[in-house]
Amino acid sequence: MNAGILGIAKYVPETVVTNVDLEKRMDTSDEWIRTRTGIEQRRIAEKSIDTSDMAYFAAKQAIENANLTAEDIDMILVATVTPDQPFPSVACMLQDKLGAKKVAAMDISAACAGFMYGMVTAKQFIETGTYKHVLVVGVEKLSKITDWNDRNTAVLFGDGAGAAVLGPVSGDRGILSFELGSDGSGGKHLYQTEEDVIFMNGREVFKFAVRQMGESSVNVIEKAGLKKEDVDFLVPHQANIRIMESARERLNLPIEKMSKTVHKYGNTSAASIPISIVEELEEGKINDDDVIVMVGFGGGLTWGAIALRWGR
Ligand code: ACO
């Protein structure tokens, strides 16, 4: 029995900040941002909406989409590096907001690979029969740790949330294989400073990301006993279109088989993969029995990839 996705949903804040808006705030240009990153706009949460609120909006809808209620959830995992506060965890706040049972709840800190870490953790509890329904949320309010005077980073990030309920699925659907990894020696390239803003050595992160996205994607395909041509859809972490393209080329996939939402939302870290899946489902691009490969990388450094056959 495999664990798979029973229901999934997203939440993005209403406020749209375009590249042209940023031109007015810092020394940058729409042209630079588009050509170097593929980003055209991002969503920024209002002050009154914190990480746990976005997590709640997405989670509530995901539970509904799974045809379940909060009572049915046996564990809550929240992947985030921008919690409301260091503790209590966003997962505990979410347990309360949802009115869920007093179940195991914890945050996962794996930056942009966080949703992959969350899904793989959920899989262990489900496939051992320990828990039936695990809620996994990827959520970030990166705007609160963005240095709005640093054009190197400020143009890249956005806020949002994606949530999925994982549980047992039928036949050969669900998670087929995964890979998780870390390299703490690269932590110096991407971190939150003492001033509580993001520092990034863009070139180093870029080189690491290009290598890791391609390698991890190939590894999960092989581990699942599949070939590149069996992959129907690639959902890469939406950090930069050039990094995403390199992963797509490594898998020899045509452009229409890769999810692209980075132009609309920027890099939403742990939320980017679930947000992208929701958008592709809405557009009918992911269908039952499709093999999808999800792959992410982030600060830590961390990475994670999953091959999954879609459907309940
Ligand atoms: N507007 C205009 N110019 C800019 C901007 C900007 N917003 N930002 C940087 N520049 C300038 C730089 O100062 C540099 O100028 P210089 O040559 O005079 O020094 C020039 O543009 C080129 O800089 P590069 O670093 O060569 O630009 P590059 O093509 O590498 O693109 C980028 C930079 C987009 C940051 C790229 O390196 C990248 O995407 N890196 C990976 C980022 C990433 O994926 N982060 C994921 C984080 S995951 C997580 O855990 C949150």
Side-chain angles (χ1 to χ4, degrees):
M1 176 263 288
N2 285 343
I5 294 178
L6 304 178
I8 186 163
K10 73 170 200 284
Y11 169 81
V12 290
E14 275 172 32
T15 305
V16 175
V17 175
T18 65
N19 293 347
V20 176
D21 294 330
L22 291 181
E23 279 179 357
K24 294 172 197 147
R25 290 176 71 161
M26 63 191 75
D27 181 17
T28 189
S29 68
D30 175 47
E31 208 262 328
W32 191 96
I33 304 170
R34 272 174 203 259
T35 52
R36 298 297 175 105
T37 71
I39 299 166
E40 294 169 20
Q41 59 180 52
R42 69 287 291 140
R43 302 294 181 100
I44 301 295
E46 283 162 39
K47 218 166 180 216
S48 60
I49 298 192
D50 213 334
T51 303
S52 64
D53 300 306
M54 293 194 285
Y56 169 68
F57 299 141
K60 190 170 177 291
Q61 190 60 51
I63 293 168
E64 247 180 77
N65 292 351
N67 298 321
L68 298 170
T69 68
E71 283 277 300
D72 298 313
I73 300 300
D74 303 309
M75 183 183 217
I76 301 172
L77 301 171
V78 176
T80 187
V81 291
T82 49
D84 297 38
Q85 53 203 75
F87 67 93
S89 66
V90 176
C92 284
M93 293 177 177
L94 186 56
Q95 180 274 328
D96 183 46
K97 283 180 201 272
L98 287 169
K101 289 180 299 191
K102 293 178 179 165
V103 296
M106 64 176 175
D107 286 0
I108 292 176
S109 176
C112 304
F115 194 74
M116 298 294 90
Y117 272 72
M119 279 190 63
V120 171
T121 306
K123 166 187 157 73
Q124 311 307 318
F125 285 101
I126 294 161
E127 293 183 6
T128 53
T130 313
Y131 296 133
K132 192 163 181 203
H133 300 126
V134 182
L135 174 64
V136 182
V137 183
V139 56
E140 302 290 2
K141 190 175 179 183
L142 289 165
S143 59
K144 66 183 176 183
I145 59 163
T146 298
D147 178 352
W148 292 101
N149 297 312
D150 177 12
R151 68 176 185 175
N152 291 299
T153 53
V155 302
L156 303 176
F157 302 109
D159 300 334
V165 180
L166 272 71
V169 292
S170 59
D172 59 355
R173 293 173 174 177
I175 297 175
L176 307 173
S177 64
F178 70 88
E179 173 176 284
L180 298 177
S182 72
D183 177 5
S185 72
K188 57 183 178 286
H189 299 314
L190 182 56
Y191 59 90
Q192 186 169 339
T193 67
E194 277 177 21
E195 294 76 31
D196 283 335
V197 292
I198 300 168
F199 167 85
M200 186 180 72
N201 179 339
R203 276 181 207 178
E204 285 301 324
V205 176
F206 193 95
K207 280 192 282 182
F208 154 72
V210 165
R211 190 181 66 244
Q212 200 58 53
M213 294 271 269
E215 266 176 34
S216 295
S217 302
V218 170
N219 288 346
V220 292
I221 293 167
E222 282 174 5
K223 278 188 193 175
L226 299 171
K227 298 197 181 72
K228 286 179 186 173
E229 48 273 28
D230 298 322
V231 177
D232 295 297
F233 214 73
L234 173 68
V235 186
H237 168 45
Q238 308 280 312
N240 179 318
I241 190 69
R242 293 182 291 150
I243 298 172
M244 292 156 53
E245 280 294 324
S246 74
R248 181 179 70 77
E249 281 162 17
R250 184 90 187 259
L251 299 189
N252 305 327
L253 282 176
I255 200 153
E256 62 276 9
K257 288 196 171 187
M258 181 183 78
S259 179
K260 180 178 145 272
T261 59
V262 68
H263 59 298
K264 287 158 78 175
Y265 304 121
N267 178 352
T268 57
S269 186
S272 92
I273 291 176
I275 288 175
S276 297
I277 291 175
V278 171
E279 299 245 326
E280 302 308 345
L281 286 168
E282 283 168 1
E283 292 193 10
K285 290 196 195 154
I286 296 176
N287 295 292
D288 277 357
D289 295 313
D290 281 352
V291 171
I292 68 170
V293 170
M294 299 167 246
V295 58
F297 66 91
L301 300 167
T302 58
W303 59 91
I306 289 175
L308 174 144
R309 196 182 305 279
W310 192 260
R312 295 183 52 146

